[in-house]
């Protein structure tokens, strides 16, 4: 016969309490939100701190001229980083953007003699075509993005050298043209390239976060096989993001040529690494599936502030910029990895 009492041999069951080893649902959700906020806004907090420290340390940091120079010089890298963000969110990489940036500048300067339309459309067409070929080889032939874009980097640099006779020719832009105004003009006291960059980032953020194409980009980066099972056009999405990256690099090069009123052949070396660094520092995961357009802009600004501070010091050469940027990127990647594992555990 059984009774309603429990024998001494039966285990005593006690309800779980907040002090137990396993976190409660509320604590786990709160911790996960904090980890997500750190990934999304950590770079912004760091940027604010860096600006405050720099402004207190150097009297010339917050001057109008210094702020304008930083904003305009950041605009070109930011446009490249915009296209790179879409690529990295899909889990890819694009090493060709630095060479495409230089090629775009040379083609824009060469085409400026035939009018503003040619100066803008020529680099967009050529660099966009290179991006399209990259996307086709990666998506349709299933080649590694690293190898494909590395080959494109070398090919674009070769085309640029061929156009400039091994770099011996420098094409100039007439300062009286509308094309030059796109680089040197000002609107409300702020350089035109800054306004163009802001408009592009607003459009990019809307596309990535509010459109079906943006959902496909995240889905492909999160799990390509699952995205294909859901009906997402994986190949078309990859082709589109690499084409977009080429277009952004070509446009950035054209704007830079308008700003310098010349197509400088030595520019763009290492820009692909700067763009990748800015995107990753801004919170986008190199493994794909997670990232923000606004974070990439913050990453660009943070890199430019670091470079400006080193220039303000004066006793340090430009090599320290690479050392500091590399060390900072390593710290960010480690932090992202830790936060990502923490969120998965929770």
């Amino acid at each position: 016969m059984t009774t309603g009492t429990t024998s001494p041999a039966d285990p005593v069951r006690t309800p779980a309490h907040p002090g137990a080893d396993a976190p409660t649902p509320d604590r786990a959700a709160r911790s996960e939100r904090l980890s997500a906020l750190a990934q999304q806004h950590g770079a912004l907090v760091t940027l604010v701190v860096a600006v405050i420290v720099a402004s207190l340390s150097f009297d010339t940091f917050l001057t109008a001229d210094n702020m304008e120079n930083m904003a305009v010089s950041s605009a070109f890298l930011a446009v490249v980083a915009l296209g790179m963000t879409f690529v990295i969110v899909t889990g890819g990489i694009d090493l060709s953007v630095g060479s495409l940036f230089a090629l775009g500048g040379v083609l824009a300067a060469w085409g400026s003699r035939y009018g503003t339309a040619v100066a803008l459309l020529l680099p967009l067409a050529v660099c966009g075509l290179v991006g399209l070929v990259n996307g086709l080889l990666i998506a349709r032939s299933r080649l590694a993005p690293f190898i494909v874009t590395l080959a494109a980097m070398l090919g674009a640099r070769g085309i640029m050298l061929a156009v400039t006779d091994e770099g011996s020719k420098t094409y100039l832009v007439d300062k009286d043209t509308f094309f030059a105004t796109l680089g040197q003009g000002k609107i409300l006291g702020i350089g035109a390239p800054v306004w163009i960059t802001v408009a592009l980032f607003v459009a990019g953020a809307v596309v990535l976060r509010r459109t079906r194409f943006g959902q496909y980009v995240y889905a492909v980066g999160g799990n390509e096989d699952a995205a294909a099972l859901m009906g997402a056009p994986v190949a078309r999405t990859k082709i589109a993001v690499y084409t977009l990256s080429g277009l952004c690099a070509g446009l950035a090069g054209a704007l830079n040529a308008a700003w310098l009123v010349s197509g400088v052949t030595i520019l763009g070396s290492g820009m692909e690494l700067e763009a990748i660094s800015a995107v990753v520092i801004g919170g986008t995961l190199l493994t794909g599936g997670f990232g923000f357009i606004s974070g990439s802009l913050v990453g660009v600004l943070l890199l430019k502030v670091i470079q400006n501070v080193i220039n303000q010091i004066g006793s340090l050469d430009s090599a320290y910029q690479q050392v500091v940027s590399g060390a900072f990127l390593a710290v960010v990647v480690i932090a992202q990895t830790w936060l990502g594992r923490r969120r998965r555990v929770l």
Side-chain angles (χ1 to χ4, degrees):
M1 179 183 297
T2 60
T3 63
T5 61
T6 304
S7 65
D10 292 337
V12 178
R13 296 179 178 86
T14 58
H17 55 82
D21 292 337
T24 62
D26 289 342
R27 287 174 57 193
R30 185 164 53 251
S31 182
E32 183 175 359
R33 286 196 298 270
L34 290 175
S35 298
L37 286 174
Q39 279 188 297
Q40 184 173 359
H41 301 297
L44 179 59
V45 174
T46 305
L47 175 62
V48 172
V49 172
V51 169
I52 293 174
V53 172
S55 61
L56 294 175
S57 303
F58 306 101
D59 295 334
T60 57
F61 181 79
L62 283 181
T63 59
D65 289 340
N66 190 51
M67 289 291 102
E68 182 182 1
N69 288 334
M70 275 201 300
V72 174
S73 62
S74 299
F76 312 117
L77 176 60
V79 174
V80 176
L82 174 62
M84 185 69 76
T85 304
F86 281 84
V87 171
I88 293 181
V89 170
T90 62
I93 203 78
D94 190 352
L95 300 180
S96 65
V97 293
S99 295
L100 291 178
F101 174 82
L103 176 61
V106 168
L107 293 176
W110 179 86
S112 64
R113 68 184 73 181
Y114 303 106
T116 300
V118 176
L120 288 174
L121 293 178
L122 181 61
L124 287 176
V126 175
C127 296
L129 179 61
V130 174
L132 174 63
V133 173
N134 286 341
L136 288 171
L137 291 175
I138 292 168
R140 299 298 185 186
S141 301
R142 296 187 178 275
L143 299 178
F146 182 89
I147 299 300
V148 172
T149 58
L150 178 62
M153 177 184 73
L154 299 175
R157 184 69 63 172
I159 296 173
M160 186 268 295
L161 291 175
V163 172
T164 59
D165 290 339
E166 302 296 329
S168 61
K169 286 184 179 180
T170 300
Y171 299 103
L172 301 179
V173 177
D174 188 351
K175 293 183 179 181
D176 297 327
T177 60
F178 177 73
F179 177 64
T181 304
L182 291 176
Q184 297 191 332
K186 292 185 179 182
I187 302 174
L188 300 177
I190 301 176
V194 178
W195 291 108
I196 295 173
T197 301
V198 171
L200 290 174
F201 265 80
V202 171
V206 172
V207 170
L208 188 58
R209 305 292 292 186
R210 301 296 182 184
T211 67
R212 180 170 296 181
F213 172 72
Q215 295 175 356
Y216 291 155
V217 171
Y218 281 113
V220 171
N223 189 315
E224 187 174 320
D225 294 333
L229 291 175
M230 290 191 308
V234 175
R236 289 206 305 267
T237 301
K238 287 185 176 182
I239 294 171
V241 297
Y242 282 97
T243 304
L244 177 63
S245 182
L247 289 171
C248 287
L251 177 60
L255 292 175
N256 187 69
W259 183 50
L260 298 175
V261 292
S262 65
V264 182
T265 58
I266 62 174
L267 296 178
S269 178
M271 179 173 262
E272 62 279 349
L273 301 181
E274 283 189 288
I276 294 170
S277 298
V279 173
V280 175
I281 288 171
T284 300
L285 296 180
L286 277 172
T287 52
F290 185 88
F292 314 95
I293 294 294
S294 58
S296 298
L297 181 59
V298 172
V300 170
L301 295 176
L302 185 54
L303 287 178
K304 290 299 180 180
V305 167
I306 292 173
Q307 293 174 5
N308 190 266
V309 167
I310 292 176
N311 292 333
Q312 295 272 355
I313 294 174
S315 59
L316 300 177
D317 57 35
S318 59
Y320 285 93
Q321 295 179 2
Q322 305 299 326
V323 174
V324 174
S325 299
F328 192 79
L329 177 61
V331 172
V332 169
V333 172
I334 293 172
Q336 282 188 351
T337 303
W338 181 79
L339 289 171
R341 289 175 179 173
R342 180 179 175 84
R343 292 180 67 187
R344 284 195 296 270
V345 169
L346 296 174

